[in-house]
């Protein structure tokens, strides 16, 4: 009995020690969490506390739910000190645990966090994908607050990619939900984003109204810790709109209010730097002699916190400032620094600004910078269109996947009912039909090839017949001229010659009859001239016109733009019949392949003859393909065979989404 009491006491002691250890660990965690979020501490110190929290969690025996809760808090701390990679690493741990537990709510939250990571690192397509994934799950869970917040972040991406109308529409939907659930902070964010979207559309007056609404909305927010930061954001937005409107006095006044916010420099140095830079710029716009002190203070702070956008933007403003002072040396120095930073960070808009300044600062090299400006501007516009299309495609494909999952689930239930024998029979039947179909397709392709060959031969034979008929007609006209008209003219000349020898009345009367015969000869000559003109018209059916007719048929039959350049008539007509025929068939087969497979919108064809060689290039901007996986079909084999038969070399090059090029070189 004594041993039992001793053992029982031992277990109680262990339990007490265990509870005591847990209490100590929780106190440490609470202290570390509090210190890691203390904005008065420097970043290195805060990071040490966050790392200590992570180590404590890793070494603990917490349940999955408690571990996930603490991981999210750690992730938020890493995000607050701009340690995005650590933020992503912790979030992926949460996602892994949540997926293993099939915890939809925390999966959605982790995907939302990953969206924030990619958005903060300017990978907007990936951010949009994860926000969309989180949105679907929140929608299924009927979690309106998180659903609205996720939709708003999608709207941020649309605005960033310059789809301002799409961003405005999405934000209005979120605003309606935010008002329904009375989320005052979310209402503030909606007003702010509507202002940014309207600014992007150039509707500055209405944008100003929404930014003013966001500023007024701050007093409805209960959390006093966020109010200074939100106020500074709203003020900066309002001031930026004033700058866009050219109201520099109003901009200066509103930026001054923002700079008066307590501890803003310590709480959010990036926002403080932006306010200070914008304030300096507004003062400079009012008076060219003001703003330099603030510009330099902002530059020093931006470099200290290593905020790339601030470092670039402040330098661009200083370029403009020193240009107003005609100090091109200092302006050039700042512009070169801004250009380098913008290129390294892919801030294309700012790159364009620096290139614009280079045309002023280096007028002798202005053309070079102007060309680079145009090239980057065009590339940027194309990239923006591609990104917007990609975002739309991500949303469409996500919805399509959901539909496909439901369809697959239904089909799976049906397949379970079916027997293995029926499935095998179905597969066998499909293979037989498929092989027969391929065989028929092969036969049809061969027949079509032979028919096209015969048609072209007939065309060439017809051309030869026309040439023969032309020669016969020329001979006939020559004989008419020689045997008929020339004889008549000789007879008339002989009889009229008598008039010079004996100009009496009888000879004169007879000569008048021969003058009438001259009119008859004139009529015959006119008839011959008309026949020659008609023969010239018939001569237009040459090889070049045959090629042009083929390309014209391509234009009329398909929507693809088809541009072509063909060598001069003399050069092209000198080709042998064999070369003509094979060139024609290679062009026809290539066009056939483009129309079937490439999805091209533009075809370019060039046929030239130069220094004893014939060159043929056919280029399209279609989907392309991997040349290494090219199947040697009948059409391709025929093209290669034709090239060999005329002592030519055929080459096909292609890349995925970069089109295809067919080139042929023939030694004549």
């Amino acid at each position: 009995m004594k041993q039992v009491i001793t053992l029982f006491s031992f277990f109680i002691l262990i339990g007490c020690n265990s509870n005591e250890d847990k209490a100590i660990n929780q106190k440490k965690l609470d202290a570390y969490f509090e210190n890691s979020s203390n904005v008065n501490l420097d970043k290195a110190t805060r990071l040490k506390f966050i790392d200590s929290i992570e180590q404590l969690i890793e070494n603990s025996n917490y349940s999955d739910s408690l571990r996930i809760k603490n991981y999210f808090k750690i992730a938020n701390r890493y995000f607050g000190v701009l340690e995005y990679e650590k933020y992503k690493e912790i979030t992926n741990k949460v996602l892994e645990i949540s997926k293993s537990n099939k915890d939809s709510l925390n999966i959605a939250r982790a995907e939302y966090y990953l969206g924030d990571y990619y958005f903060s690192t300017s990978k907007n397509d990936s951010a949009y994908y994860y926000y969309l994934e989180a949105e679907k799950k929140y929608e299924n869970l009927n979690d309106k607050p998180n659903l609205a917040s996720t939709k708003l972040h999608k709207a941020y991406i649309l605005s960033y990619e310059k789809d301002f109308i799409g961003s405005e529409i999405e934000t209005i939907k979120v605003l309606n939900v935010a008002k329904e659930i009375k989320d005052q902070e979310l209402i503030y964010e909606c007003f702010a984003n509507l202002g940014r979207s309207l600014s992007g559309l150039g509707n500055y007056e209405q944008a100003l109204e929404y930014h003013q609404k966001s500023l007024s909305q701050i007093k409805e927010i209960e959390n006093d810790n966020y109010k200074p930061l939100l106020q500074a954001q709203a003020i900066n937005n309002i001031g930026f709109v004033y700058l866009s409107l050219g109201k520099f006095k109003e901009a200066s006044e509103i930026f001054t209010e923002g700079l008066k916010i307590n501890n803003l420099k310590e709480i959010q140095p990036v926002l403080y730097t932006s306010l200070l830079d914008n304030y300096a710029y507004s003062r400079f716009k009012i008076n060219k002699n003001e703003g330099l002190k603030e510009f330099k203070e902002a530059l020093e702070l931006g470099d200290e916190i290593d905020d790339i956008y601030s470092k670039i933007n402040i330098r661009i403003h200083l370029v403009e400032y020193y240009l107003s002072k005609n100090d091109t040396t200092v302006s050039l120095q700042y512009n070169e620094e801004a250009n380098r930073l913008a290129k390294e960070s892919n801030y294309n808009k700012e790159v364009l600004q620096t290139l614009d300044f280079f045309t002023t600062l280096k007028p002798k090299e202005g053309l070079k910078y102007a060309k680079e400006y145009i090239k980057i501007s065009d590339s940027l516009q194309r990239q923006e269109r591609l990104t917007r299309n990609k975002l739309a495609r991500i949303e469409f494909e996500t919805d399509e996947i959901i539909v496909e999952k439901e369809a697959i689930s239904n089909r799976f239930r049906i397949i379970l009912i079916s027997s293995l024998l029926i499935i095998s029979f179905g597969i066998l039947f499909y293979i037989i039909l498929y092989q027969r179909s391929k065989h028929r397709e092969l036969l049809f392709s061969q027949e079509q090839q032979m028919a096209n060959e015969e048609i072209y031969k007939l065309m060439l034979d017809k051309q030869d017949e026309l040439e023969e008929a032309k020669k016969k007609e020329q001979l006939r006209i020559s004989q008419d001229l020689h045997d008929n008209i020339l004889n008549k003219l000789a007879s008339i000349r002989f009889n009229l010659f008598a008039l010079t020898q004996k100009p009496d009345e009888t000879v004169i009367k007879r000569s008048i009859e021969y003058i009438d015969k001259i009119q008859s000869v004139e009529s015959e000559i006119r008839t011959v001239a008309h026949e020659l003109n008609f023969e010239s018209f018939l001569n237009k059916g040459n090889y070049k016109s045959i090629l042009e007719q083929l390309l014209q048929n391509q234009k009329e039959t398909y929507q693809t733009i088809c541009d072509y350049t063909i060598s001069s008539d003399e050069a092209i007509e000198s080709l042998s019949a064999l070369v003509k025929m094979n060139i024609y068939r290679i062009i026809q087969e290539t066009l056939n392949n483009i129309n079937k497979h490439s999805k091209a919108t533009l075809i370019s064809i060039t046929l030239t003859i130069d220094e004893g060689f014939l060159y043929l290039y056919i280029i399209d901007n279609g989907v392309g393909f991997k040349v290494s996986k090219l199947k040697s079909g009948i059409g391709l084999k025929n093209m290669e065979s034709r090239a060999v038969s005329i002592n030519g070399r055929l080459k096909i090059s292609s890349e995925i989404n970069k089109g295809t090029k067919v080139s042929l070189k023939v030694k004549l």
Side-chain angles (χ1 to χ4, degrees):
M1 184 67 180
K2 189 175 181 181
Q3 289 176 342
V4 172
I5 293 172
T6 304
L7 185 62
F8 183 69
S9 300
F10 176 72
F11 281 123
I12 291 174
L13 183 61
I14 290 175
C16 290
N17 288 337
S18 176
N19 289 333
E20 186 177 348
D21 289 341
K22 285 183 179 178
I24 292 171
N25 283 340
Q26 191 58 49
K27 284 183 179 179
K28 281 185 180 179
L29 277 177
D30 292 341
Y32 288 164
F33 273 127
E34 184 177 352
N35 286 322
S36 64
S37 58
N38 186 349
V39 295
N40 294 318
L41 298 176
D42 60 75
K43 179 179 176 179
T45 305
R46 292 171 68 184
L47 272 174
K48 286 181 181 178
F49 282 115
I50 301 171
D51 292 339
S52 298
I53 296 168
E54 186 180 353
Q55 189 173 1
L56 276 174
I57 300 298
E58 293 292 340
N59 296 329
S60 72
N61 56 354
Y62 286 146
S63 64
D64 284 346
S65 60
L66 190 57
R67 190 180 294 273
I68 287 172
K69 180 182 177 181
N70 284 314
Y71 274 150
F72 274 128
K73 291 170 73 175
I74 293 171
N76 287 332
R77 265 57 174 190
Y78 277 129
F79 194 86
V81 293
L82 309 181
E83 288 291 324
Y84 296 127
E85 294 305 320
K86 292 291 292 182
Y87 171 81
K88 179 188 176 186
E89 180 185 328
I90 296 297
T91 303
N92 278 323
K93 288 182 180 180
V94 174
L95 187 60
E96 185 180 349
I97 297 170
S98 302
K99 283 183 175 179
S100 66
N101 295 333
K102 297 181 179 179
D103 183 352
S104 298
L105 181 60
N106 282 320
I107 290 173
R109 190 179 177 190
E111 287 173 339
Y112 177 89
Y113 272 45
L114 286 173
D116 285 347
Y117 162 77
Y118 286 112
F119 187 41
S120 300
T121 53
S122 300
K123 298 173 182 175
N124 289 339
D125 52 347
S126 297
Y128 197 82
Y129 169 79
Y130 279 106
Y131 285 142
L132 194 60
E133 289 293 308
E135 179 189 358
K136 301 298 179 186
K137 294 176 179 65
Y138 284 137
E139 201 165 20
N140 290 333
L141 294 166
N142 197 27
D143 187 342
K144 287 187 177 180
N146 282 320
L147 177 62
S149 181
T150 306
K151 281 181 172 290
L152 184 61
H153 278 70
K154 283 173 58 186
Y156 290 157
I157 293 175
L158 292 172
S159 178
Y160 187 87
E161 296 299 338
K162 293 185 172 51
D163 184 2
F164 300 115
I165 294 176
S167 180
E168 182 184 5
I169 293 170
E170 198 76 12
T171 306
I172 290 171
K173 292 178 184 177
V174 177
L175 181 59
N176 292 331
V177 177
K179 288 180 177 178
E180 179 187 340
I181 62 178
K182 297 180 181 179
D183 188 330
Q184 304 303 330
E185 289 185 29
L186 193 58
I187 292 172
Y188 164 85
E189 295 291 348
C190 288
F191 284 149
N193 196 55
L194 283 171
R196 286 189 289 268
S197 298
L198 289 163
S199 289
L201 292 169
N203 192 346
Y204 296 115
E205 296 295 343
Q206 197 172 357
L208 194 58
E209 291 179 19
Y210 276 106
H211 285 313
Q212 294 286 7
K213 284 183 179 181
S214 70
L215 186 60
S216 301
Q217 177 64 22
I218 294 173
K219 63 178 180 292
E220 304 295 332
I221 297 172
E222 295 180 0
N223 191 336
D224 292 333
N225 293 327
Y226 286 115
K227 285 185 178 181
L229 179 59
L230 299 179
Q231 185 182 2
Q233 287 176 341
I235 285 173
N236 202 31
N237 289 334
I238 293 169
F240 187 78
V241 175
Y242 278 135
L243 287 177
S244 300
L245 288 168
K247 296 182 178 181
F248 303 117
K249 181 180 178 183
E250 291 85 344
S252 173
E253 292 172 355
I254 195 72
F255 288 133
T256 302
E257 288 184 33
L259 292 170
K260 291 178 181 178
I261 295 173
N262 291 333
N263 299 323
L264 180 62
K265 185 176 181 180
E266 291 74 23
I267 297 171
Q268 185 52 267
V270 173
L271 186 53
Y272 178 84
T273 304
S274 179
L275 281 166
L276 185 60
D277 175 44
N278 287 332
Y279 169 75
Y281 189 69
S282 62
R283 295 308 306 168
F284 161 66
K285 284 294 186 179
I286 295 170
N287 186 336
K288 301 298 181 186
N289 295 318
E290 295 187 22
L292 182 59
K293 176 186 174 184
E294 290 79 7
F295 275 138
K296 290 194 172 181
E297 184 182 345
L299 182 64
E300 183 179 349
L301 183 57
D303 289 346
E304 181 182 337
I305 63 177
D306 197 29
D307 179 56
I308 296 297
Y309 182 76
S310 297
K311 291 166 72 173
I312 297 169
N313 212 42
I314 297 166
R315 282 171 169 81
I316 289 174
H317 285 163
L318 282 167
V319 172
E320 190 174 345
Y321 176 87
Y322 281 107
L323 270 176
S324 71
K325 304 295 182 186
N326 295 320
D327 190 342
T328 55
T329 303
V330 178
S331 292
L332 184 60
Q333 176 189 341
Y334 280 121
N335 200 54
E336 286 174 343
E337 291 174 4
N339 178 262
R340 176 180 55 78
L341 290 168
K343 284 183 175 179
E344 289 173 357
S345 308
N346 294 321
Y347 280 78
N348 293 314
K349 179 184 174 184
E350 285 67 30
V351 171
L352 292 177
Q353 286 181 272
T354 58
L355 290 174
D356 193 27
F357 279 130
F358 273 133
T359 59
T360 303
L361 293 166
K362 293 183 176 181
K364 292 182 179 179
E365 300 178 42
L367 182 59
K368 180 185 79 172
Y369 290 114
K371 287 181 178 178
E372 187 178 353
Y373 181 98
I374 293 169
K375 181 180 178 182
I376 293 175
S377 179
D378 291 344
S379 174
L380 186 58
Q381 289 178 13
R382 285 194 299 272
Q383 186 60 40
E384 287 171 356
R385 285 195 297 271
L386 288 172
T387 303
R388 288 197 293 270
N389 291 338
K390 190 172 184 180
L391 297 182
R393 190 165 62 252
I394 288 170
E395 184 141 14
F396 171 76
E397 288 175 353
T398 303
D399 292 337
E400 197 175 47
I401 288 168
I402 293 170
V403 174
E404 285 180 0
K405 282 183 178 178
E406 293 176 356
I408 289 169
S409 179
N410 293 330
R411 284 198 299 271
F412 184 70
R413 284 193 291 269
I414 295 170
I415 291 171
L416 288 176
I417 300 169
S418 304
S419 68
L420 183 61
L421 181 60
I422 295 173
I423 295 172
S424 301
F425 179 78
I427 294 172
L428 181 61
F429 185 70
Y430 171 78
I431 291 172
I432 292 170
L433 289 178
Y434 179 78
Q435 291 297 329
R436 286 183 178 178
S437 174
K438 293 296 289 182
H439 183 65
R440 283 196 297 270
E441 184 180 341
L442 186 62
L443 288 175
F444 176 78
S445 179
Q446 289 175 336
E447 290 171 0
Q448 187 181 38
Q449 192 80 7
M450 292 172 65
N452 289 337
E453 187 84 31
E454 189 64 30
I455 288 169
Y456 187 73
K457 286 181 178 178
L458 288 172
M459 290 171 64
L460 290 178
D461 291 340
K462 191 66 177 177
Q463 186 71 19
D464 291 337
E465 289 176 11
L466 287 172
E467 289 294 323
E468 185 64 28
K470 184 180 76 172
K471 290 178 181 178
K472 288 181 179 179
E473 187 62 14
Q474 287 174 341
L475 180 60
R476 183 188 64 78
I477 293 170
S478 175
Q479 288 173 343
D480 283 349
L481 286 171
H482 183 271
D483 297 337
N484 186 22
I485 296 173
L486 287 179
N487 286 337
K488 286 181 180 181
L489 286 174
S491 175
I492 292 168
R493 180 178 61 80
F494 178 79
N495 284 284
L496 288 177
F497 180 76
L499 185 63
T500 63
Q501 301 298 319
K502 188 180 179 182
D504 57 15
E505 187 174 346
T506 303
V507 174
I508 291 172
K509 286 181 180 180
R510 192 168 61 249
S511 297
I512 291 173
E513 294 176 4
Y514 286 104
I515 291 172
D516 292 336
K517 288 183 179 182
I518 290 175
Q519 292 180 342
S520 174
V521 172
E522 180 184 356
S523 178
E524 289 186 35
I525 292 172
R526 187 178 295 108
T527 300
V528 172
H530 282 302
E531 290 173 349
L532 285 173
N533 186 51
F534 181 69
E535 182 66 27
S536 175
F537 173 76
L538 289 178
N539 194 40
K540 291 181 181 177
N542 53 22
Y543 182 64
K544 184 175 180 181
S545 67
I546 291 172
L547 291 178
E548 289 175 341
Q549 183 62 46
L550 171 65
L551 300 176
Q552 188 61 35
N553 289 341
Q554 166 72 19
K555 287 185 175 181
E556 292 172 359
T557 306
Y558 300 94
Q559 294 182 350
T560 310
I561 298 170
C562 182
D563 295 328
Y564 59 88
T565 302
I566 300 176
S567 191
S568 64
D569 290 356
E570 183 179 355
I572 210 76
E573 290 302 327
S574 65
L575 298 173
S576 68
L578 180 63
V579 173
K580 289 178 181 178
M581 180 184 71
N582 285 294
I583 294 297
Y584 181 94
R585 290 305 300 124
I586 288 172
I587 294 173
Q588 189 180 49
E589 182 61 29
T590 304
L591 290 175
N592 200 23
N593 289 336
I594 292 171
N595 296 331
K596 277 186 179 179
H597 309 296
S598 76
K599 299 180 182 178
T601 60
L602 176 63
I603 304 171
S604 176
I605 300 175
T606 305
L607 178 62
T608 58
I609 297 173
D610 185 29
E611 296 182 355
F613 286 91
L614 179 144
Y615 299 92
L616 172 64
Y617 302 99
I618 305 175
I619 304 170
D620 70 77
N621 66 346
V623 298
F625 57 88
K626 289 186 178 179
V627 178
S628 60
K629 296 184 178 180
L630 183 65
K631 296 181 179 180
S632 297
I634 291 175
L636 178 60
K637 287 181 177 178
N638 284 340
M639 288 168 64
E640 291 174 343
S641 174
R642 291 181 185 283
V644 171
S645 70
I646 57 175
N647 196 27
R649 186 175 64 186
L650 182 73
K651 181 179 179 183
I652 299 175
S653 57
S654 181
E655 290 184 36
I656 298 297
N657 295 326
K658 291 188 178 180
T660 302
K661 179 179 179 181
V662 176
S663 58
L664 174 68
K665 181 179 179 182
V666 179
K667 181 174 177 60
L668 301 176

